Amino acid sequence: MDKILNVAEYIFDEYKKISGEIIDEMKLHKLLYFSQREAIAITGQPLFADDFEGWKYGPVSRDVRLAYTKDGIISADSSISDEAKYIVNNVILEYGIFSSWKLSEISHQEISWKNSRIGLADKENGSKPLALSDIYEDAKKVRPYDHIWDMYYDEFEDAEVNEQ
């Protein structure tokens, strides 16, 4: 399992390589959340053990929030597993084109975020952790896409059958 700060630094660095821009903090949090959800959808396991909180604008990692700077993530390096790099790169290609506010809107459709907000007013920040079991539920609705092979994961089996 990878460390969330290292995954955040990897996203920070890769996003800059791809877009030429420094990722803002809100977008970083959303791409981290989607990376966690995507990892669960693909592997059945979380990418990292750290929690997200149900902030009013979507899932947020307190550790990443404290470590984020315009120069990168304090006390982190971008060394993560190859599997994590593969998943994160697909997430950046899938969601990195959206604005932070659009990603916030998308994250507001997640069961995990909605459940973490129960009992809070719309404008209230909130600090209740998103339940990992709820992120597993969110992962069930994901149809993972492989940007290298330009196909959905569920199409790989069809491609293998057609090759035989």
Side-chain angles (χ1 to χ4, degrees), residues 4 8 11 23-35 48 52 55 57-66 68 103 107:
I4 194 170
I11 291 171
I23 192 169
D24 66 70
E25 185 183 349
M26 188 160 93
K27 185 176 235 180
L28 176 60
H29 287 287
K30 302 314 162 259
L31 293 180
L32 270 171
Y33 169 78
F34 292 127
S35 294
F48 41 79
F52 290 97
W55 190 50
Y57 299 123
V60 168
S61 162
R62 183 176 298 272
D63 290 339
V64 172
R65 184 158 186 144
L66 294 172
Y68 175 85
L103 293 175
S107 72

Side-chain angles (χ1 to χ4, degrees), residues 54-58 65 101 104 108 113 116-127:
W55 190 50
K56 64 183 171 183
Y57 299 123
R65 184 158 186 144
W101 291 106
S104 178
H108 287 189
W113 182 82
S116 75
R117 302 286 302 165
I118 293 173
L120 296 174
D122 287 346
K123 303 283 185 199
E124 203 171 341
N125 269 334
S127 60

Side-chain angles (χ1 to χ4, degrees), residues 19-157:
S19 71
E21 299 174 2
I22 294 174
I23 192 169
D24 66 70
E25 185 183 349
M26 188 160 93
K27 185 176 235 180
L28 176 60
H29 287 287
K30 302 314 162 259
L31 293 180
L32 270 171
Y33 169 78
F34 292 127
S35 294
Q36 180 78 311
R37 186 193 68 184
E38 196 88 2
I40 291 169
I42 294 167
T43 69
Q45 298 295 318
L47 194 56
F48 41 79
D50 306 74
D51 291 328
F52 290 97
E53 295 178 358
W55 190 50
K56 64 183 171 183
Y57 299 123
V60 168
S61 162
R62 183 176 298 272
D63 290 339
V64 172
R65 184 158 186 144
L66 294 172
Y68 175 85
T69 72
K70 296 284 185 191
D71 296 322
I73 307 300
I74 298 170
S75 300
D77 60 53
S78 58
S79 62
I80 60 174
S81 66
D82 288 340
E83 182 177 66
K85 289 177 185 177
Y86 173 78
I87 291 168
V88 167
N89 286 343
N90 276 307
V91 167
I92 292 170
L93 292 171
E94 184 83 16
Y95 294 100
I97 59 170
F98 296 112
S99 72
S100 300
W101 291 106
K102 180 63 179 172
L103 293 175
S104 178
E105 288 176 25
I106 294 169
S107 72
H108 287 189
Q109 303 308 309
E110 299 292 294
I111 293 165
S112 56
W113 182 82
K114 288 178 180 180
N115 286 346
S116 75
R117 302 286 302 165
I118 293 173
L120 296 174
D122 287 346
K123 303 283 185 199
E124 203 171 341
N125 269 334
S127 60
K128 182 180 174 188
L130 278 66
L132 188 58
S133 59
D134 287 341
I135 299 174
Y136 271 87
E137 287 301 311
D138 291 330
K140 289 178 183 178
K141 69 177 186 195
V142 174
R143 186 177 181 211
Y145 188 80
D146 185 307
H147 287 270
I148 293 171
W149 292 98
D150 194 24
M151 59 195 302
Y152 291 95
Y153 276 65
D154 57 10
E155 296 174 328
F156 279 105
E157 188 175 295

